[in-house]
Amino acid sequence: MAFDPACPRTLDTLTFDNRFTRELPADPQPANFRRQVAQACFSRVQPTPVPRPTLVAYAHEVAQLLDLPAQVCTTPQFAAVFAGNGCLPAMDPHAMCYGGHQFGSWAGQLGDGRAIILGEVVNGRGEHWALQLKGAGPTPYSRSADGLAVLRSSVREFLCSEAMFHLGVPTTRALCLLTTGNDVVRDMFYDGRPRAEPGAIVCRVAPSFTRFGNFELLAARGDHALLKQLLDFTLRTDFAHLGEPSAATYLAWLHEVCVRTATLVVHWQRVGFVHGVMNTDNMSVLGLTIDYGPYGWLEDYNPDWTPNTTDAAGRRYRYGNQPQIAQWNLFQLAEAIFPLIGDVERMQAVLQVYAETFNRGWQTMMAGKLGLQAFDALTDPPLVKELQEVLALTETDMTVFYRRLATVPCAQQLDSTDETLIAPLMDAYYDPQMVSAGHTARMAAWLRLYAERVRVDGTDDDTRRERMNRVNPNFVLRNYLAQQAIDRAEQGDFTLVQHTLEVLRRPYDEQPERQAFAAKRPEWARNRPGCSMLSCSS
Ligand code: AMP
Ligand code: MG
């Protein structure tokens, strides 16, 4: 590209407005050592410099949110700043102080142990976007860990953040992914076999990174003055439409967090995303998917599946349990802000909104997945329940299933044999040999009920297919796809990371030349670590 003097090639055009650090109390201790931090919302901390910042990939759409021309993203200055080698003068790097419930138990102070917020960019549309480096070195909240991240987990975070955005799922975004030139030692499965892995940093971007746990920690410490200050700040910045702070506004805020969280989980269930660690410190008050760790994508439809080996015993965060867990987490948030409202009955009434919004949203979502105009509360619950049971009987890929279901003709009376009826679905089965005569009969019976329902709905086959293909993705970040990109990236070849991102930019399209990315999990990936089993160690 020819040099255009009018086009900025530096980061100096970024405008910062660091509201969080300007308006909320800071930890007075400037030194970077692990500690408990009271009466403060954050600690100032500098990223740790790294030897060789190397750009792996960036998302031009996210650069655009910051008014950054794409060509700036490939400059040495960009790599240096987003690997933590020196901040811009207008940045105010800090780590947030928060607590959380981990796996159902109160864990006390946690905080940004390996995340450093550089500052808040304000773009030409007046939007605020906080920039956060993940893996840029220790902070006062690093406890016994190193504050670093490895390439493996960073590729997963970078790709999944953007994949989720393009799927229409609320999420934090990822501006870029860099390697640092450092080795980071990880014991991936806590089995006493640590290995050195390439260190990496992702720059995450969100309107704010405030979590349920920010409020919980202040409440647990009885610091009601700061609790109020943080909530008032959150209202003024991220929820200005709710009006001036008051007990009524706090209730309206809780209401909105319930609605946003319910909406988020409906999306997760729609696309088959399993977060893996729904601790309250990993729940955004903005209803964004946040903290991509040992997450995974449902392959065969199995509501009991969780990718997180750390959760293997209890399976607390399994796919089918995500809606209940989100509700439990909201109860913890409500309890935290109770001192500011003090009205149990009204709070309980607001919390009901979660279940109502989730149930309504889930029904509408299921109707959408089936290509129906609306969910019929009378006829559709048994139809959906039977489908869920049949899908779980034999290993059936959920994503492939719904794309194929869209091609099953329903408009005419279906007088075909069972085998002919289910033929379009065969690609969804992991082992067609396992599709027994009994299964075929049951699936065919369901298809006949479905076709009948579609006819009552009055939707023709073309309209239905189009409708279904807008809510049932063709491409998701299958666990093995992320692993393939990681394997290549660990060899120093970043093209598959970039190519995978490219495919995931249009998840609902057919993209025939890239259909390989829509293939269900190959056999080699069934039990391979990283594909089917992940741990919190990243
Ligand atoms: P997670 O559940 O993975 O979001 O992390 C829980 C807590 O552990 C958070 O406070 C993280 O900041 C912290 N943490 C996770 N990994 C590291 C690490 N490598 N270094 C420092 N802190 C970490
Ligand atoms: Mg976390």
Side-chain angles (χ1 to χ4, degrees):
M1 188 186 297
F3 178 67
D4 175 1
C7 181
R9 297 180 79 83
T10 72
L11 295 170
D12 302 343
T13 53
L14 289 177
T15 307
F16 284 86
D17 178 26
N18 303 317
R19 299 175 300 188
F20 195 86
T21 53
R22 190 171 63 233
E23 295 181 29
L24 291 168
D27 171 10
Q29 169 60 257
N32 187 1
F33 62 92
R34 276 74 159 173
R35 58 184 176 268
Q36 292 291 307
V37 175
Q39 295 171 339
C41 289
F42 64 93
S43 304
R44 289 199 164 83
V45 59
Q46 293 293 324
T48 304
V50 302
R52 278 189 312 284
T54 307
L55 184 70
V56 175
Y58 69 94
H60 58 81
E61 302 91 335
V62 183
Q64 211 167 30
L65 293 176
L66 311 175
D67 296 341
L68 267 187
Q71 58 267 47
V72 172
C73 301
T74 52
T75 60
Q77 187 200 16
F78 182 92
V81 168
F82 292 108
N85 280 2
C87 289
L88 303 171
M91 290 175 169
D92 192 5
H94 62 279
M96 271 188 182
C97 182
Y98 54 82
H101 279 84
Q102 296 184 315
F103 297 94
S105 305
W106 175 242
Q109 177 183 301
L110 296 166
D112 286 333
R114 57 161 164 179
I116 296 177
I117 297 175
L118 297 174
E120 297 169 57
V121 167
V122 55
N123 69 14
R125 292 182 297 285
E127 299 164 347
H128 278 71
W129 292 101
L131 309 182
Q132 185 189 65
L133 302 186
K134 185 164 174 181
T139 76
Y141 309 98
S142 296
R143 295 177 292 158
S144 58
D146 55 12
L148 303 175
V150 295
L151 183 57
R152 154 174 64 88
S153 62
S154 305
V155 167
R156 286 169 47 82
E157 172 128 25
F158 175 78
L159 285 178
C160 203
S161 308
E162 291 307 289
M164 293 287 264
F165 169 76
H166 293 292
L167 283 164
V169 183
T171 179
T172 60
R173 304 294 300 274
L175 172 64
C176 59
L177 163 64
L178 296 114
T179 51
T180 60
N182 276 328
D183 278 348
V184 174
V185 175
R186 285 288 181 271
D187 184 354
M188 191 170 159
F189 286 103
Y190 307 117
D191 62 357
R193 290 184 298 164
R195 71 166 175 127
E197 303 186 43
I201 295 176
V202 172
C203 178
R204 312 198 288 189
V205 176
S208 78
F209 289 95
T210 309
R211 302 142 191 271
F212 290 11
N214 292 68
F215 298 94
E216 286 180 275
L217 183 61
L218 298 173
R221 288 173 168 170
D223 192 346
H224 297 167
L226 191 48
L227 179 68
K228 179 174 185 321
Q229 199 182 341
L230 178 64
L231 184 48
D232 290 354
F233 172 84
T234 303
L235 283 167
R236 256 197 331 279
T237 52
D238 286 327
F239 295 83
H241 55 279
L242 294 179
E244 285 302 305
S246 69
T249 322
Y250 299 151
L251 273 171
W253 180 73
L254 184 62
H255 184 289
E256 185 161 337
V257 179
C258 286
V259 170
R260 288 189 190 213
T261 305
T263 307
L264 174 70
V265 180
V266 168
H267 277 295
W268 287 357
Q269 304 307 92
R270 170 175 66 86
V271 298
F273 175 80
V274 187
H275 182 285
V277 207
M278 290 176 71
N279 294 332
T280 54
D281 53 306
N282 293 336
M283 297 291 292
S284 149
V285 296
L286 291 172
L288 307 173
T289 314
I290 190 171
D291 278 11
Y292 292 90
Y295 70 81
W297 292 82
L298 266 199
E299 286 159 343
D300 54 292
Y301 179 81
N302 173 5
D304 289 335
W305 185 71
T306 175
N308 186 358
T309 52
T310 315
D311 189 24
R315 293 182 181 266
R316 178 180 172 87
Y317 298 138
R318 62 189 183 273
Y319 173 74
N321 213 30
Q322 296 190 122
Q324 283 74 21
I325 290 293
Q327 183 175 44
W328 190 89
N329 289 344
L330 283 161
F331 288 158
Q332 308 315 310
L333 177 65
E335 198 161 308
I337 63 165
F338 173 73
L340 307 181
I341 301 173
D343 185 335
V344 177
E345 273 170 30
R346 289 180 68 190
M347 288 185 82
Q348 277 172 345
V350 167
L351 284 167
Q352 298 270 338
V353 168
Y354 171 79
E356 288 160 17
T357 311
F358 178 81
N359 289 333
R360 229 180 311 115
W362 188 83
Q363 292 181 345
T364 305
M365 178 272 283
M366 283 310 300
K369 283 187 87 66
L370 296 175
L372 304 171
Q373 299 193 53
F375 191 86
D376 183 326
L378 228 53
T379 59
D380 293 346
L383 184 74
V384 169
K385 185 162 175 285
E386 171 66 3
L387 174 61
Q388 288 175 318
E389 283 180 20
V390 184
L391 285 180
L393 282 180
T394 303
E395 273 193 325
T396 314
D397 189 273
M398 180 174 114
T399 304
V400 175
F401 175 83
Y402 280 103
R403 292 294 283 206
R404 295 294 177 273
L405 183 63
T407 69
V408 172
C410 292
Q412 280 102 48
Q413 196 62 43
L414 293 170
D415 47 12
S416 330
T417 64
D418 291 356
E419 284 72 18
T420 321
L421 254 185
I422 79 158
L425 303 176
M426 289 312 286
D427 194 30
Y429 292 108
Y430 274 90
D431 183 358
Q433 308 286 321
M434 296 296 288
V435 182
S436 64
H439 182 88
T440 303
R442 196 164 161 190
M443 181 51 93
W446 183 84
L447 284 172
R448 291 192 180 93
L449 288 175
Y450 172 61
E452 183 55 39
R453 174 70 183 88
V454 169
R455 284 193 294 277
V456 171
D457 197 58
T459 302
D460 64 68
D461 284 341
D462 286 347
T463 309
R464 179 172 56 92
R465 193 180 58 247
E466 220 176 273
R467 200 182 275 160
M468 289 173 77
N469 287 352
R470 278 201 304 266
V471 293
N472 298 316
N474 190 27
F475 299 101
V476 295
L477 183 59
R478 290 172 177 279
N479 312 310
Y480 81 89
L481 292 177
Q483 189 58 44
Q484 284 178 332
I486 291 164
D487 289 343
R488 292 266 287 276
E490 287 184 342
Q491 305 301 313
D493 173 3
F494 304 141
T495 52
L496 193 54
V497 174
Q498 296 156 0
H499 189 61
T500 305
L501 170 62
E502 194 52 41
V503 175
L504 295 171
R505 283 189 163 115
R506 294 190 289 123
Y508 299 100
D509 291 358
E510 283 301 325
Q511 305 192 47
E513 71 290 4
R514 289 155 167 175
Q515 197 54 26
F517 284 79
K520 58 184 185 280
R521 178 197 60 218
E523 217 28 53
W524 62 260
R526 180 183 286 272
N527 292 315
R528 174 151 176 218
C531 294
S532 59
M533 293 178 287
L534 294 133
S535 74
C536 285
S537 161
S538 56

